[in-house]
Structure formats: C-alpha cells, structure tokens
Amino acid sequence: AATSMLLPVVAQLSVALRVHPLAHMIPTTIACSFAFMLPVATPPNAIAFATNAITTRDMISSGVGLNLMACLLVTLYTAWAFPLVYGGDPFVCPEWACPNA
C-alpha cells in the first residue's frame, strides 16, 4: 500500500527535479519492503508479537538499526548499480521522462 501511494509522488518529484525517475522509484520500491519496527508492519512481525514474548519497545529498538542499515545499503547499491544496469546518469532526466528538457 505504501508503495502504490509513494511511487506517483516520487515520479513527479523526480521529473520536477529533472533527474532520472527510476533512480528514485526503484530505491523507494525496495525501501517500502523494509518494515522491521512495528508489529503491524508485516505478518511475520504480527505473529512474533502475538506470542507475547516481545514488546513493541523491543521491536522498535531492534528495528531502528535494521531500518537505518537497510536505507544505507539501498542508497549505496543504487548509486553503484544504477549506471551499470541502466547505462545512464541518475542525475540526468531522460527524454522519455522530460520531453521538454
């Protein structure tokens, strides 16, 4: 649900900034799957929380580190892999996205 709400906003923001939309949309899509902090984030989190063996505070304290590490890794991976995969500069808006460039 978060991905379907964020991607149109990120796409329009990228075009407004005149950068490659995929350079922001792909990391956004990946980052939306990193839900480590709250019980309602994913079904496995809810199942673990339902056992009453852990508290919300436990999940938040361990999830913050995982979320920060995941964001850093996605950022580094995107900066490294985008030019290799798409063969372009992530800071240049392509003709198909910015036709009036």
Side-chain angles (χ1 to χ4, degrees):
T3 306
S4 62
M5 290 187 308
L6 286 174
L7 284 181
V9 175
V10 170
Q12 289 301 312
L13 180 65
S14 296
V15 171
L17 293 173
R18 310 213 55 78
V19 296
H20 203 300
L22 293 178
H24 291 131
M25 293 174 71
I26 293 170
T28 300
T29 303
I30 295 169
C32 283
S33 69
F34 296 144
F36 302 121
M37 288 195 336
L38 298 175
V40 296
T42 64
N45 287 8
I47 292 169
F49 183 73
T51 65
N52 291 328
I54 56 175
T55 64
T56 302
R57 183 172 296 216
D58 294 334
M59 294 186 82
I60 290 173
S61 64
S62 60
V64 166
L66 287 172
N67 280 343
L68 291 174
M69 183 175 59
C71 287
L72 176 67
L73 290 175
V74 166
T75 302
L76 293 174
Y77 178 76
T78 302
W80 173 77
F82 188 85
L84 297 175
V85 174
Y86 294 101
D89 186 358
F91 299 108
V92 175
C93 194
E95 181 65 30
W96 58 264
C98 301
N100 297 328

Coordinates of all heavy atoms in Angstrom, one line a residue:
A1 N 0.8 -1.2 0.0 CA 0.0 0.0 0.0 C 0.9 1.3 0.0 O 0.6 2.2 -0.7 CB -0.9 0.0 1.2
A2 N 1.9 1.2 0.8 CA 2.8 2.4 0.8 C 3.5 2.7 -0.5 O 3.6 3.8 -1.0 CB 3.9 2.2 1.9
T3 N 3.8 1.6 -1.2 CA 4.5 1.7 -2.5 C 3.6 2.4 -3.5 O 4.0 3.3 -4.2 CB 5.0 0.4 -3.0 OG1 5.8 -0.2 -2.0 CG2 5.8 0.5 -4.3
S4 N 2.3 1.9 -3.6 CA 1.4 2.5 -4.5 C 1.0 3.9 -4.3 O 0.7 4.6 -5.2 CB 0.1 1.6 -4.6 OG -0.5 1.6 -3.4
M5 N 1.2 4.4 -3.0 CA 0.9 5.8 -2.7 C 2.2 6.6 -3.0 O 2.1 7.8 -3.4 CB 0.5 5.9 -1.2 CG -0.8 5.4 -0.9 SD -1.4 5.8 0.7 CE 0.0 5.2 1.7
L6 N 3.4 6.1 -2.8 CA 4.6 6.9 -2.9 C 5.1 7.0 -4.3 O 5.7 8.0 -4.6 CB 5.7 6.3 -2.0 CG 5.5 6.5 -0.5 CD1 6.6 5.7 0.3 CD2 5.6 8.0 -0.2
L7 N 5.0 5.9 -5.1 CA 5.6 6.0 -6.4 C 5.1 7.1 -7.3 O 6.0 7.7 -8.0 CB 5.5 4.6 -7.1 CG 6.4 3.5 -6.6 CD1 6.2 2.2 -7.4 CD2 7.8 4.0 -6.6
P8 N 3.8 7.4 -7.4 CA 3.5 8.5 -8.2 C 4.1 9.9 -7.8 O 4.4 10.7 -8.6 CB 1.9 8.6 -8.2 CG 1.6 7.2 -7.8 CD 2.7 6.7 -6.9
V9 N 4.1 10.0 -6.5 CA 4.7 11.3 -5.9 C 6.2 11.3 -6.2 O 6.7 12.4 -6.6 CB 4.5 11.3 -4.4 CG1 5.2 12.5 -3.7 CG2 3.0 11.3 -4.1
V10 N 6.9 10.2 -6.0 CA 8.3 10.2 -6.3 C 8.6 10.4 -7.8 O 9.6 11.1 -8.1 CB 8.9 8.9 -5.8 CG1 10.4 8.7 -6.3 CG2 8.9 8.8 -4.3
A11 N 7.8 9.8 -8.6 CA 8.0 10.0 -10.1 C 7.8 11.5 -10.5 O 8.7 12.0 -11.2 CB 7.0 9.2 -10.9
Q12 N 6.8 12.2 -10.0 CA 6.6 13.6 -10.3 C 7.7 14.5 -9.7 O 8.1 15.4 -10.3 CB 5.2 14.0 -9.8 CG 4.1 13.4 -10.7 CD 4.2 13.8 -12.1 OE1 4.5 15.0 -12.5 NE2 4.1 12.8 -13.0
L13 N 8.1 14.1 -8.5 CA 9.2 14.8 -7.9 C 10.5 14.7 -8.7 O 11.2 15.7 -8.9 CB 9.4 14.3 -6.4 CG 10.5 15.0 -5.6 CD1 10.2 16.5 -5.4 CD2 10.7 14.3 -4.3
S14 N 10.8 13.5 -9.2 CA 12.0 13.3 -10.0 C 11.9 14.2 -11.3 O 12.9 14.8 -11.7 CB 12.1 11.9 -10.3 OG 12.3 11.1 -9.2
V15 N 10.8 14.2 -11.9 CA 10.6 15.0 -13.1 C 10.8 16.4 -12.8 O 11.4 17.2 -13.6 CB 9.3 14.6 -13.8 CG1 9.0 15.6 -15.0 CG2 9.3 13.2 -14.3
A16 N 10.2 16.9 -11.7 CA 10.3 18.3 -11.3 C 11.7 18.7 -11.0 O 12.2 19.8 -11.3 CB 9.4 18.6 -10.1
L17 N 12.5 17.7 -10.5 CA 13.9 18.0 -10.1 C 14.8 17.8 -11.4 O 16.0 18.0 -11.3 CB 14.4 17.1 -9.0 CG 13.7 17.4 -7.6 CD1 14.1 16.3 -6.6 CD2 14.1 18.8 -7.2
R18 N 14.2 17.2 -12.4 CA 14.9 16.9 -13.7 C 16.0 15.9 -13.5 O 17.2 16.1 -14.0 CB 15.5 18.2 -14.3 CG 14.4 19.3 -14.4 CD 14.3 20.2 -15.5 NE 14.4 19.8 -16.9 CZ 13.3 19.3 -17.6 NH1 12.2 19.1 -17.0 NH2 13.4 19.1 -18.9
V19 N 15.7 14.8 -12.8 CA 16.6 13.7 -12.6 C 15.9 12.4 -13.1 O 14.7 12.5 -13.3 CB 17.1 13.5 -11.1 CG1 17.9 14.7 -10.7 CG2 15.9 13.3 -10.2
H20 N 16.6 11.4 -13.2 CA 16.0 10.1 -13.8 C 15.0 9.6 -12.8 O 15.4 9.3 -11.6 CB 17.2 9.1 -14.0 CG 16.8 8.1 -15.0 ND1 15.7 7.2 -14.8 CD2 17.4 7.7 -16.2 CE1 15.7 6.4 -15.9 NE2 16.7 6.7 -16.7
P21 N 13.8 9.4 -13.2 CA 12.8 8.9 -12.2 C 13.1 7.5 -11.6 O 12.8 7.3 -10.5 CB 11.5 8.9 -13.1 CG 11.7 9.8 -14.2 CD 13.2 9.8 -14.5
L22 N 13.6 6.6 -12.5 CA 13.9 5.3 -11.9 C 15.0 5.3 -10.8 O 15.0 4.4 -10.0 CB 14.4 4.4 -13.1 CG 13.3 4.1 -14.1 CD1 13.9 3.2 -15.2 CD2 12.1 3.4 -13.5
A23 N 15.8 6.3 -10.8 CA 16.9 6.4 -9.8 C 16.3 6.7 -8.4 O 16.9 6.4 -7.4 CB 17.9 7.5 -10.1
H24 N 15.0 7.1 -8.4 CA 14.4 7.3 -7.1 C 13.2 6.3 -6.9 O 13.0 5.9 -5.8 CB 13.8 8.8 -7.1 CG 14.8 9.8 -6.9 ND1 14.8 10.9 -7.7 CD2 15.9 9.9 -6.2 CE1 15.9 11.7 -7.4 NE2 16.5 11.0 -6.5
M25 N 12.6 5.9 -8.0 CA 11.5 5.0 -7.8 C 11.9 3.6 -7.4 O 11.2 2.9 -6.6 CB 10.7 4.9 -9.1 CG 10.0 6.3 -9.5 SD 9.2 6.3 -11.1 CE 7.8 5.2 -10.8
I26 N 13.0 3.1 -8.0 CA 13.5 1.8 -7.6 C 13.9 1.7 -6.1 O 13.4 0.8 -5.4 CB 14.6 1.3 -8.6 CG1 14.0 1.1 -10.0 CG2 15.3 0.0 -8.1 CD1 15.1 0.9 -11.0
P27 N 14.7 2.6 -5.6 CA 15.0 2.5 -4.2 C 13.8 2.7 -3.3 O 13.7 2.1 -2.2 CB 16.0 3.7 -4.0 CG 16.5 4.0 -5.3 CD 15.5 3.6 -6.3
T28 N 12.8 3.5 -3.8 CA 11.6 3.7 -3.0 C 10.8 2.4 -2.9 O 10.3 2.0 -1.8 CB 10.7 4.8 -3.6 OG1 11.4 6.0 -3.6 CG2 9.4 4.9 -2.8
T29 N 10.7 1.7 -4.0 CA 10.1 0.4 -4.0 C 10.7 -0.6 -3.1 O 10.1 -1.3 -2.3 CB 10.0 -0.2 -5.5 OG1 9.4 0.8 -6.3 CG2 9.3 -1.5 -5.5
I30 N 12.1 -0.7 -3.1 CA 12.8 -1.6 -2.3 C 12.6 -1.2 -0.8 O 12.4 -2.0 0.1 CB 14.3 -1.6 -2.7 CG1 14.4 -2.2 -4.1 CG2 15.1 -2.4 -1.7 CD1 15.8 -2.1 -4.7
A31 N 12.7 0.1 -0.5 CA 12.7 0.6 0.8 C 11.3 0.3 1.5 O 11.2 0.1 2.7 CB 13.0 2.1 0.9
C32 N 10.3 0.3 0.7 CA 8.9 0.0 1.2 C 8.8 -1.4 1.8 O 7.9 -1.7 2.5 CB 7.9 0.3 0.2 SG 7.5 2.0 -0.1
S33 N 9.7 -2.3 1.4 CA 9.6 -3.6 1.9 C 10.4 -3.8 3.2 O 10.4 -4.9 3.8 CB 10.2 -4.6 0.9 OG 11.6 -4.4 0.7
F34 N 11.1 -2.7 3.6 CA 11.8 -2.8 4.9 C 11.0 -2.3 6.1 O 11.1 -1.1 6.5 CB 13.1 -1.9 4.8 CG 14.1 -2.4 3.8 CD1 14.8 -1.5 3.1 CD2 14.3 -3.7 3.6 CE1 15.7 -1.9 2.1 CE2 15.2 -4.1 2.7 CZ 15.9 -3.2 1.9
A35 N 10.1 -3.1 6.5 CA 9.3 -2.8 7.7 C 9.7 -3.7 8.8 O 9.1 -4.8 9.0 CB 7.8 -3.0 7.3
F36 N 10.6 -3.2 9.6 CA 11.2 -4.0 10.7 C 10.7 -3.6 12.1 O 11.0 -4.2 13.0 CB 12.7 -4.0 10.6 CG 13.3 -4.5 9.4 CD1 14.1 -3.7 8.6 CD2 13.0 -5.8 8.9 CE1 14.6 -4.1 7.4 CE2 13.5 -6.2 7.7 CZ 14.4 -5.4 7.0
M37 N 10.1 -2.4 12.2 CA 10.0 -1.8 13.5 C 8.7 -2.1 14.3 O 8.7 -2.2 15.5 CB 10.2 -0.3 13.4 CG 11.6 0.1 13.2 SD 12.0 1.8 13.5 CE 10.5 2.7 13.3
L38 N 7.6 -2.2 13.6 CA 6.3 -2.3 14.3 C 5.6 -3.7 14.1 O 5.8 -4.3 13.0 CB 5.4 -1.2 13.9 CG 5.9 0.2 14.2 CD1 5.0 1.3 13.6 CD2 6.1 0.4 15.7
P39 N 4.8 -4.1 15.0 CA 4.1 -5.4 14.9 C 3.1 -5.4 13.6 O 2.9 -6.5 13.1 CB 3.3 -5.5 16.1 CG 3.9 -4.6 17.1 CD 4.6 -3.5 16.3
V40 N 2.6 -4.3 13.3 CA 1.6 -4.3 12.2 C 2.3 -4.2 10.8 O 1.6 -4.1 9.8 CB 0.6 -3.1 12.3 CG1 -0.2 -3.4 13.5 CG2 1.3 -1.8 12.3
A41 N 3.6 -4.1 10.8 CA 4.3 -3.8 9.5 C 4.2 -5.0 8.5 O 4.0 -4.8 7.4 CB 5.8 -3.5 9.8
T42 N 4.4 -6.2 9.0 CA 4.4 -7.4 8.2 C 3.7 -8.5 9.0 O 3.7 -8.5 10.2 CB 5.8 -7.8 7.8 OG1 6.5 -8.2 8.9 CG2 6.5 -6.8 7.0
P43 N 3.1 -9.5 8.3 CA 2.6 -10.6 9.0 C 3.5 -11.4 9.9 O 3.2 -11.7 11.1 CB 2.0 -11.5 7.9 CG 1.7 -10.6 6.8 CD 2.8 -9.5 6.9
P44 N 4.8 -11.6 9.5 CA 5.7 -12.3 10.5 C 5.9 -11.4 11.8 O 6.1 -12.0 12.8 CB 7.0 -12.4 9.7 CG 6.6 -12.4 8.3 CD 5.4 -11.5 8.2
N45 N 6.0 -10.1 11.6 CA 6.1 -9.3 12.8 C 4.9 -9.5 13.7 O 5.0 -9.5 15.0 CB 6.2 -7.8 12.4 CG 7.5 -7.5 11.8 OD1 8.4 -8.3 11.6 ND2 7.8 -6.2 11.6
A46 N 3.7 -9.5 13.1 CA 2.5 -9.7 13.9 C 2.4 -11.0 14.6 O 2.0 -11.1 15.8 CB 1.2 -9.5 13.0
I47 N 2.9 -12.1 13.9 CA 2.9 -13.4 14.5 C 3.9 -13.4 15.7 O 3.6 -13.9 16.8 CB 3.3 -14.5 13.5 CG1 2.2 -14.6 12.5 CG2 3.6 -15.8 14.1 CD1 2.5 -15.4 11.3
A48 N 5.1 -12.8 15.5 CA 6.1 -12.8 16.6 C 5.6 -12.0 17.8 O 5.7 -12.4 19.0 CB 7.4 -12.2 16.1
F49 N 4.9 -10.9 17.5 CA 4.4 -10.0 18.6 C 3.2 -10.7 19.3 O 3.1 -10.6 20.5 CB 3.9 -8.7 18.0 CG 3.4 -7.7 19.0 CD1 4.3 -7.1 19.9 CD2 2.1 -7.5 19.1 CE1 3.9 -6.2 20.8 CE2 1.6 -6.6 20.1 CZ 2.5 -5.9 20.9
A50 N 2.4 -11.5 18.6 CA 1.3 -12.2 19.2 C 1.7 -13.3 20.3 O 0.9 -13.7 21.1 CB 0.4 -12.8 18.1
T51 N 3.0 -13.7 20.2 CA 3.4 -14.7 21.2 C 3.6 -14.1 22.6 O 3.8 -14.8 23.6 CB 4.7 -15.3 20.8 OG1 5.7 -14.3 20.8 CG2 4.6 -16.0 19.4
N52 N 3.6 -12.8 22.7 CA 3.8 -12.0 23.9 C 5.2 -12.2 24.5 O 5.5 -11.9 25.7 CB 2.8 -12.4 25.0 CG 1.4 -11.9 24.7 OD1 1.3 -10.8 24.0 ND2 0.4 -12.6 25.0
A53 N 6.1 -12.7 23.7 CA 7.5 -12.9 24.1 C 8.3 -11.6 23.9 O 9.3 -11.5 24.6 CB 8.1 -14.0 23.3
I54 N 7.8 -10.7 23.1 CA 8.5 -9.5 22.9 C 7.5 -8.3 22.9 O 6.3 -8.5 22.7 CB 9.2 -9.4 21.5 CG1 8.2 -9.7 20.3 CG2 10.3 -10.4 21.4 CD1 8.8 -9.6 19.0
T55 N 8.0 -7.2 23.3 CA 7.1 -6.0 23.4 C 7.3 -5.1 22.1 O 8.3 -5.3 21.4 CB 7.5 -5.2 24.6 OG1 8.8 -4.7 24.5 CG2 7.3 -6.0 25.9
T56 N 6.5 -4.1 22.0 CA 6.6 -3.1 20.9 C 7.9 -2.4 21.1 O 8.6 -2.1 20.1 CB 5.4 -2.1 20.9 OG1 4.2 -2.9 20.8 CG2 5.6 -1.1 19.8
R57 N 8.3 -2.1 22.3 CA 9.6 -1.4 22.5 C 10.8 -2.3 22.1 O 11.7 -1.7 21.5 CB 9.7 -1.1 24.0 CG 11.0 -0.3 24.4 CD 11.0 0.1 25.8 NE 9.9 1.0 25.9 CZ 9.8 2.1 26.7 NH1 10.9 2.3 27.4 NH2 8.8 2.9 26.7
D58 N 10.7 -3.6 22.3 CA 11.8 -4.5 21.8 C 11.8 -4.4 20.3 O 12.9 -4.4 19.7 CB 11.5 -5.9 22.2 CG 11.6 -6.1 23.7 OD1 12.3 -5.3 24.4 OD2 10.9 -7.1 24.2
M59 N 10.7 -4.4 19.6 CA 10.7 -4.4 18.2 C 11.2 -3.1 17.6 O 12.0 -3.1 16.7 CB 9.3 -4.7 17.7 CG 8.7 -6.1 18.0 SD 7.2 -6.4 17.2 CE 7.7 -6.8 15.6
I60 N 10.9 -2.0 18.3 CA 11.3 -0.7 17.8 C 12.8 -0.6 18.0 O 13.6 -0.2 17.1 CB 10.6 0.4 18.5 CG1 9.2 0.5 18.0 CG2 11.3 1.8 18.3 CD1 8.3 1.4 18.8
S61 N 13.3 -1.0 19.2 CA 14.8 -0.9 19.5 C 15.6 -1.7 18.5 O 16.7 -1.3 18.1 CB 15.1 -1.2 20.9 OG 14.8 -2.6 21.2
S62 N 15.2 -2.9 18.1 CA 16.0 -3.7 17.2 C 15.7 -3.3 15.8 O 16.6 -3.4 14.9 CB 15.7 -5.2 17.4 OG 14.3 -5.4 17.2
G63 N 14.5 -2.8 15.5 CA 14.1 -2.4 14.1 C 14.7 -1.1 13.6 O 15.0 -1.0 12.4
V64 N 15.0 -0.2 14.5 CA 15.6 1.1 14.1 C 17.0 0.8 13.4 O 17.3 1.4 12.4 CB 15.8 2.1 15.3 CG1 16.7 3.2 15.0 CG2 14.4 2.6 15.7
G65 N 17.8 0.0 14.1 CA 19.1 -0.3 13.5 C 19.0 -1.0 12.1 O 19.7 -0.6 11.2
L66 N 18.1 -1.9 12.0 CA 17.9 -2.6 10.8 C 17.4 -1.7 9.7 O 17.8 -1.7 8.5 CB 16.9 -3.8 11.0 CG 17.4 -5.0 11.7 CD1 16.2 -5.9 12.0 CD2 18.4 -5.7 10.9
N67 N 16.5 -0.8 10.0 CA 15.9 0.2 9.0 C 17.0 1.1 8.6 O 17.1 1.4 7.4 CB 14.8 0.9 9.6 CG 13.5 0.2 9.5 OD1 13.4 -0.8 8.8 ND2 12.5 0.6 10.3
L68 N 17.8 1.6 9.5 CA 18.9 2.6 9.1 C 19.9 1.9 8.2 O 20.4 2.4 7.2 CB 19.5 3.2 10.3 CG 18.7 4.1 11.1 CD1 19.4 4.5 12.4 CD2 18.3 5.3 10.3
M69 N 20.3 0.6 8.6 CA 21.3 -0.1 7.8 C 20.7 -0.4 6.4 O 21.4 -0.3 5.4 CB 21.6 -1.4 8.5 CG 22.7 -2.2 7.8 SD 23.2 -3.7 8.7 CE 21.7 -4.6 8.9
A70 N 19.4 -0.8 6.3 CA 18.8 -1.1 5.1 C 18.8 0.1 4.2 O 19.1 0.0 3.0 CB 17.4 -1.7 5.3
C71 N 18.4 1.3 4.7 CA 18.4 2.5 3.9 C 19.8 2.9 3.4 O 19.9 3.3 2.2 CB 17.8 3.6 4.8 SG 16.1 3.5 5.0
L72 N 20.8 2.7 4.2 CA 22.1 3.0 3.8 C 22.6 2.0 2.7 O 23.1 2.5 1.7 CB 23.1 2.9 5.0 CG 24.6 3.0 4.6 CD1 24.9 4.5 4.2 CD2 25.5 2.7 5.8
L73 N 22.3 0.7 2.8 CA 22.6 -0.2 1.8 C 21.9 0.0 0.5 O 22.5 -0.1 -0.6 CB 22.4 -1.6 2.3 CG 23.4 -2.1 3.4 CD1 22.9 -3.5 4.0 CD2 24.8 -2.1 2.9
V74 N 20.6 0.3 0.6 CA 19.9 0.6 -0.7 C 20.4 1.8 -1.4 O 20.6 1.9 -2.6 CB 18.4 0.8 -0.4 CG1 17.6 1.4 -1.6 CG2 17.8 -0.5 0.0
T75 N 20.8 2.9 -0.6 CA 21.4 4.1 -1.2 C 22.7 3.8 -1.9 O 22.9 4.2 -3.0 CB 21.5 5.2 -0.1 OG1 20.3 5.4 0.5 CG2 22.1 6.4 -0.7
L76 N 23.6 3.0 -1.2 CA 24.9 2.7 -1.8 C 24.7 1.8 -3.0 O 25.4 2.0 -4.0 CB 25.8 2.1 -0.7 CG 26.2 3.0 0.4 CD1 26.9 2.1 1.5 CD2 27.0 4.1 -0.1
Y77 N 23.8 0.8 -2.9 CA 23.6 -0.1 -4.0 C 23.1 0.6 -5.2 O 23.5 0.4 -6.4 CB 22.7 -1.2 -3.6 CG 22.4 -2.2 -4.7 CD1 23.4 -3.1 -5.1 CD2 21.3 -2.1 -5.5 CE1 23.2 -4.0 -6.2 CE2 21.0 -3.0 -6.5 CZ 22.0 -3.9 -6.9 OH 21.8 -4.7 -8.0
T78 N 22.1 1.5 -5.0 CA 21.6 2.3 -6.1 C 22.6 3.2 -6.8 O 22.7 3.2 -8.0 CB 20.4 3.1 -5.7 OG1 19.4 2.3 -5.1 CG2 19.7 3.9 -6.8
A79 N 23.4 3.8 -6.0 CA 24.5 4.7 -6.6 C 25.5 3.9 -7.4 O 26.0 4.3 -8.4 CB 25.2 5.4 -5.4
W80 N 25.7 2.7 -6.9 CA 26.7 1.8 -7.6 C 26.1 1.1 -8.8 O 26.6 1.1 -9.9 CB 27.3 0.8 -6.7 CG 28.1 -0.3 -7.3 CD1 29.4 -0.1 -7.7 CD2 27.7 -1.6 -7.7 NE1 29.8 -1.3 -8.3 CE2 28.8 -2.2 -8.3 CE3 26.6 -2.3 -7.5 CZ2 28.8 -3.5 -8.7 CZ3 26.5 -3.6 -8.0 CH2 27.7 -4.2 -8.6
A81 N 24.9 0.6 -8.7 CA 24.3 -0.3 -9.7 C 23.5 0.4 -10.8 O 23.4 -0.1 -11.9 CB 23.4 -1.3 -9.0
F82 N 23.0 1.6 -10.5 CA 22.1 2.3 -11.5 C 22.9 2.5 -12.8 O 22.3 2.2 -13.9 CB 21.6 3.6 -10.9 CG 20.6 4.2 -11.8 CD1 19.2 3.8 -11.8 CD2 20.9 5.2 -12.8 CE1 18.3 4.4 -12.6 CE2 20.0 5.7 -13.6 CZ 18.7 5.3 -13.6
P83 N 24.1 3.1 -12.8 CA 24.8 3.3 -14.1 C 25.1 2.0 -14.8 O 25.1 1.9 -16.0 CB 26.1 4.0 -13.7 CG 25.8 4.6 -12.4 CD 24.8 3.7 -11.7
L84 N 25.4 0.9 -14.0 CA 25.7 -0.4 -14.6 C 24.5 -1.0 -15.3 O 24.5 -1.5 -16.4 CB 26.3 -1.3 -13.6 CG 27.6 -0.9 -12.9 CD1 27.9 -1.9 -11.8 CD2 28.7 -0.8 -14.0
V85 N 23.3 -0.9 -14.6 CA 22.1 -1.6 -15.1 C 21.4 -0.8 -16.2 O 21.0 -1.3 -17.2 CB 21.1 -1.8 -13.9 CG1 19.8 -2.4 -14.4 CG2 21.8 -2.8 -12.9
Y86 N 21.3 0.5 -16.0 CA 20.5 1.4 -16.9 C 21.4 2.2 -17.9 O 20.9 2.8 -18.8 CB 19.6 2.3 -16.1 CG 18.6 1.5 -15.4 CD1 18.7 1.3 -14.0 CD2 17.5 1.0 -16.1 CE1 17.7 0.5 -13.4 CE2 16.5 0.3 -15.4 CZ 16.7 0.0 -14.0 OH 15.7 -0.7 -13.4
G87 N 22.7 2.1 -17.7 CA 23.7 2.7 -18.6 C 23.5 4.2 -18.7 O 23.8 4.8 -19.8
G88 N 23.0 4.9 -17.7 CA 22.9 6.3 -17.8 C 23.2 7.0 -16.5 O 23.5 6.3 -15.5
D89 N 23.2 8.3 -16.5 CA 23.4 9.1 -15.3 C 22.2 9.3 -14.5 O 21.2 9.8 -15.1 CB 24.0 10.4 -15.8 CG 24.5 11.3 -14.6 OD1 24.3 10.9 -13.5 OD2 25.0 12.4 -14.9
P90 N 22.1 8.9 -13.3 CA 20.9 9.1 -12.5 C 20.5 10.5 -12.3 O 19.4 10.8 -11.9 CB 21.2 8.4 -11.2 CG 22.7 8.3 -11.1 CD 23.2 8.3 -12.5
F91 N 21.4 11.5 -12.5 CA 21.2 12.9 -12.3 C 20.7 13.6 -13.6 O 20.6 14.8 -13.6 CB 22.4 13.6 -11.7 CG 22.7 13.0 -10.4 CD1 23.9 12.2 -10.3 CD2 21.9 13.2 -9.3 CE1 24.2 11.6 -9.0 CE2 22.3 12.6 -8.1 CZ 23.4 11.8 -7.9
V92 N 20.5 12.8 -14.7 CA 20.1 13.4 -16.0 C 18.7 12.8 -16.3 O 18.6 11.6 -16.4 CB 21.1 13.1 -17.1 CG1 20.6 13.6 -18.4 CG2 22.4 13.8 -16.8
C93 N 17.8 13.7 -16.5 CA 16.4 13.2 -16.8 C 16.4 12.7 -18.3 O 16.8 13.5 -19.2 CB 15.4 14.3 -16.6 SG 13.7 13.7 -16.6
P94 N 15.9 11.5 -18.6 CA 15.9 11.0 -19.9 C 14.8 11.7 -20.7 O 13.9 12.3 -20.2 CB 15.6 9.5 -19.8 CG 14.9 9.4 -18.5 CD 15.5 10.5 -17.6
E95 N 14.9 11.6 -22.1 CA 13.9 12.2 -23.0 C 12.5 11.7 -22.7 O 11.6 12.5 -22.8 CB 14.4 12.0 -24.4 CG 13.5 12.6 -25.4 CD 13.5 14.2 -25.4 OE1 14.5 14.7 -25.0 OE2 12.4 14.7 -25.7
W96 N 12.4 10.4 -22.4 CA 11.0 9.9 -22.3 C 10.3 10.4 -21.0 O 9.1 10.4 -20.9 CB 11.0 8.4 -22.3 CG 11.9 7.7 -21.2 CD1 13.2 7.3 -21.4 CD2 11.6 7.4 -19.9 NE1 13.7 6.8 -20.2 CE2 12.7 6.9 -19.3 CE3 10.4 7.6 -19.1 CZ2 12.7 6.5 -17.9 CZ3 10.4 7.2 -17.8 CH2 11.6 6.7 -17.2
A97 N 11.1 10.9 -20.0 CA 10.5 11.4 -18.8 C 10.4 12.9 -18.8 O 9.5 13.5 -18.2 CB 11.3 10.9 -17.6
C98 N 11.3 13.5 -19.4 CA 11.4 15.0 -19.5 C 11.5 15.4 -21.0 O 12.6 15.8 -21.4 CB 12.6 15.5 -18.7 SG 12.6 15.1 -17.0
P99 N 10.4 15.4 -21.7 CA 10.5 15.7 -23.1 C 10.8 17.1 -23.5 O 11.3 17.4 -24.6 CB 9.1 15.3 -23.7 CG 8.2 15.4 -22.5 CD 9.1 15.0 -21.3
N100 N 10.6 18.0 -22.6 CA 10.9 19.4 -22.9 C 12.2 19.9 -22.2 O 12.4 21.0 -21.9 CB 9.8 20.3 -22.3 CG 8.5 20.0 -23.0 OD1 8.5 19.6 -24.2 ND2 7.4 20.1 -22.3
A101 N 13.1 19.0 -22.1 CA 14.4 19.3 -21.5 C 15.3 20.2 -22.4 O 15.3 20.1 -23.5 CB 15.2 18.0 -21.1

